[in-house]
Amino acid sequence: MTLEKRLSSKSPDDLSITIRNLRFRFDGNARSRRWWHGGDPVATAFFNALSATFPDGEKFFMDSVREYRHLTSEPLRSQIKDFVGQEAVHSREHREFNALATDAGYDIARLEARTQRVIALGKRNAKIRQLAATCALEHFTAILAHALLEADSTDLAGAPDEAKRMWSWHAMEELEHKAVAFDTMMVATRNWSSPRRYLLRTVTMVASTLLFFWTIGANMASLYREDRINTPATWWRTAKYLLGKPGVLRRCFFPYLQYYRPGFHPWDHDDRDLLTATEAKYGLAAA
């Protein structure tokens, strides 16, 4: 039995992580439309704020996991390679997507610079803490992905079809590789006691949560200021959108708390049925 299986046996034995080298293209109207998400400035700001963090954030994830690849054996070693491949394509496509907001007149470079500053702060920590931060943020992306892909989800209802395809593709692959960083951390801390490992991942999750919400909130505030709607009324609408209906953050609350449970593993919940359904719905098979 491999070291990975001794430490964590919950990743499916038949798990397949597929690099879908897809490209998403938007027509001229979509590229010039400021509030591309159904004419809603709040929904648009949320997804723009999130997307602005991905190009540099994905690189941070790749680097933190690759740092420990030499310690791993199969199948995790190959999964890390595929994880890096998926994240590289995500970064490329979100740079293209962010160009939509830039073309519409937003200063997305400012938002990306904010992400870079946060990442620079994170890189001052030890490598193992950077990996733990990646685990925490990969949990965020996985539970957000699940929420977006649920059959009754309306989070992307107002988005153009190509934007729905892109966000669904990204969400699908986040679910697919949701345990790679976690399993890598288990190997990297193989000589640690369980309480010490638990403390690392939970304390890091608290810090990552604060930084994540600060960054997304600051990004949204920047976009609202550019639209001249950075008012209490807009933030009330934002709270209703994120916590009320459709309420993507509300729906993520209990899955988020699972991370603090001793013995947690990302594959405690097998949601590969969503992968199959999403791939078929949007024609997202590997090119």
Side-chain angles (χ1 to χ4, degrees):
M1 183 180 291
T2 65
L3 176 61
E4 286 86 347
K5 286 300 178 184
R6 290 200 304 271
L7 289 172
S8 175
S9 60
K10 295 182 180 179
S11 289
D13 291 332
D14 59 345
L15 177 65
S16 175
I17 298 175
T18 304
I19 301 172
R20 300 169 183 82
N21 189 19
L22 304 178
R23 292 182 180 272
F24 300 88
R25 294 296 176 260
F26 301 87
D27 61 31
N29 289 335
R31 297 194 69 85
S32 61
R33 187 174 182 180
R34 192 169 180 88
W35 295 343
W36 58 265
H37 198 309
D40 183 352
V42 171
T44 299
F46 174 69
F47 282 96
N48 282 351
L50 195 59
S51 185
T53 69
F54 283 140
D56 292 292
E58 305 279 28
K59 185 178 186 305
F60 175 80
F61 298 165
M62 290 186 279
D63 290 344
S64 68
V65 172
R66 273 190 299 219
E67 180 73 22
Y68 293 96
R69 184 171 183 264
H70 67 285
L71 298 178
T72 65
S73 57
E74 295 298 341
L76 181 55
R77 182 167 291 195
S78 291
Q79 290 173 358
I80 291 173
K81 175 178 175 292
D82 294 334
F83 165 84
V84 169
Q86 285 187 336
E87 296 289 51
V89 181
H90 296 173
S91 180
R92 182 193 73 200
E93 290 306 296
H94 275 280
R95 287 194 187 281
E96 289 292 324
F97 186 79
N98 292 344
L100 293 174
T102 299
D103 290 349
Y106 287 116
D107 186 2
I108 297 301
R110 175 182 296 180
L111 277 58
E112 292 174 334
R114 180 177 290 121
T115 298
Q116 291 162 8
R117 291 193 296 272
V118 171
I119 289 173
L121 180 65
K123 285 185 174 181
R124 295 168 60 182
N125 292 319
K127 296 293 186 181
I128 193 62
R129 292 188 63 187
Q130 294 181 43
L131 179 58
T134 295
C135 293
L137 293 167
E138 281 290 301
H139 182 61
F140 270 124
T141 57
I143 61 179
L144 280 169
H146 184 98
L148 290 178
L149 297 181
E150 289 175 314
D152 58 351
S153 170
T154 59
D155 300 290
L156 292 169
D161 289 343
E162 192 70 348
K164 290 179 185 177
R165 288 187 73 242
M166 192 210 71
W167 282 96
S168 298
W169 156 78
H170 189 168
M172 183 175 68
E173 293 195 347
E174 289 299 330
L175 288 179
E176 206 167 55
H177 68 229
K178 64 180 178 178
V180 173
F182 191 94
D183 287 344
T184 302
M185 183 179 67
M186 295 294 289
V187 173
T189 60
R190 61 195 181 279
N191 295 322
W192 291 27
S193 66
S194 294
R196 183 185 177 193
R197 186 184 300 116
Y198 176 78
L199 189 64
L200 170 70
R201 70 176 177 87
T202 54
V203 169
T204 305
M205 175 56 97
V206 171
S208 298
T209 300
L210 295 174
L211 281 174
F212 174 80
F213 282 109
W214 178 84
T215 303
I216 298 302
N219 283 354
M220 294 182 74
S222 292
L223 296 171
Y224 289 158
R225 280 193 293 270
E226 291 189 44
D227 281 331
R228 298 182 179 178
I229 57 170
N230 190 34
T231 64
T234 300
W235 284 104
W236 176 242
R237 284 184 60 189
T238 302
K240 289 194 293 183
Y241 174 76
L242 295 176
L243 302 175
K245 187 177 181 180
V248 66
L249 294 187
R250 169 181 51 78
R251 291 167 16 237
C252 288
F253 181 67
F254 287 110
Y256 164 79
L257 291 180
Q258 289 300 306
Y259 197 84
Y260 295 95
R261 178 174 53 80
F264 164 83
H265 188 275
W267 281 107
D268 287 337
H269 180 67
D270 190 338
D271 40 19
R272 284 178 293 172
D273 57 327
L274 284 178
L275 305 182
T276 302
T278 302
E279 187 174 63
K281 179 178 180 180
Y282 292 104
L284 295 171

